[in-house]
């Protein structure tokens, strides 16, 4: 059973998500929070698998709440999915840096919501193409930005660097396998080894490393 906490200051939004999630046999909504502080408290008390976290909340915003949850060693198994409106929100990168494992638009389709919860609960990240494009645009807009030579890249093989670049571009294991002519199991093994070598929490953190190292640039994935 996947245990979920909903964190949003709008009661109707929480009710809508609860209605969708509660109809599934493998998902249980175990708590609701109206602000970031409450979300942290419920995460510590209930140890859910997934927290659906709104960015814009009173008392404590979703980015800071996410940072505190992911920094707490006692909550290592808790994954955070950010609820956002991409056309109005400029905190996507900050939320990834804070340790979010995925993003959802608030008006997402029910099946996309269910897919996101299941994907993140099993330890994967949900980095949609829309998020990837936004990250590329943000980094490309920093004219004075110099790529980080990142000595940690030396720990990766040439194939692993290639896989990391594709992860950063938002590709799933199956998509990576297709592009590199590998089996999905081999692609997954490469991703797991990269995460171990770089000591990162999940795929979302790999995306951040790929951008900060300068591996991903506009037009890179043609």
């Amino acid at each position: 059973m996947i245990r979920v906490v909903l964190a949003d200051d709008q009661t109707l939004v929480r009710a809508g998500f609860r209605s969708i999630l509660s109809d599934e046999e493998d998902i249980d909504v175990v708590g609701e929070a109206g602000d970031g502080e409450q979300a942290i408290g419920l995460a510590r008390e209930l140890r859910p698998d997934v927290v659906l976290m709104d960015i814009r909340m009173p008392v404590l915003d979703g980015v800071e709440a996410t940072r505190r949850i992911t920094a707490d060693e006692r909550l290592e198994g808790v994954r955070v999915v950010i609820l956002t409106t991409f056309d109005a929100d400029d905190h996507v990168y900050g939320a990834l840096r804070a340790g979010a494992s995925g993003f959802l638009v608030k008006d997402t389709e029910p099946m996309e919501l269910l897919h996101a919860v299941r994907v993140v609960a099993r330890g994967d990240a949900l980095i949609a193409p829309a998020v990837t494009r936004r990250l590329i645009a943000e980094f490309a807009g920093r004219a004075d930005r110099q790529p980080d030579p990142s000595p940690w890249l030396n720990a990766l093989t040439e194939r692993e660097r290639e896989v990391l670049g594709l992860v950063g571009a938002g590709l799933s294991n199956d998509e990576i396998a297709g592009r590199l002519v590998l089996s999905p199991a081999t692609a997954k093994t490469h991703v797991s080894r990269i995460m171990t070598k770089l000591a990162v929490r999940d795929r979302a953190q790999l995306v951040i490393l790929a951008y900060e190292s300068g591996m991903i640039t506009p037009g890179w994935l043609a």
Side-chain angles (χ1 to χ4, degrees), residues 80-83 95-96 99-104 120 124-127 131 202 204:
V80 178
V81 175
I82 293 292
L83 302 173
L96 271 176
S101 293
F103 291 84
L104 281 177
V120 172
D124 291 332
L126 189 77
I127 309 298
V131 181
D202 56 27

Side-chain angles (χ1 to χ4, degrees), residues 163 167 173 176 187-195 203 206:
V163 170
V167 170
N173 287 344
I176 292 171
K188 182 177 181 180
T189 297
H190 279 307
V191 173
S192 297
R193 286 177 178 169
I194 295 168
M195 290 174 61
R203 291 175 76 101
L206 289 183

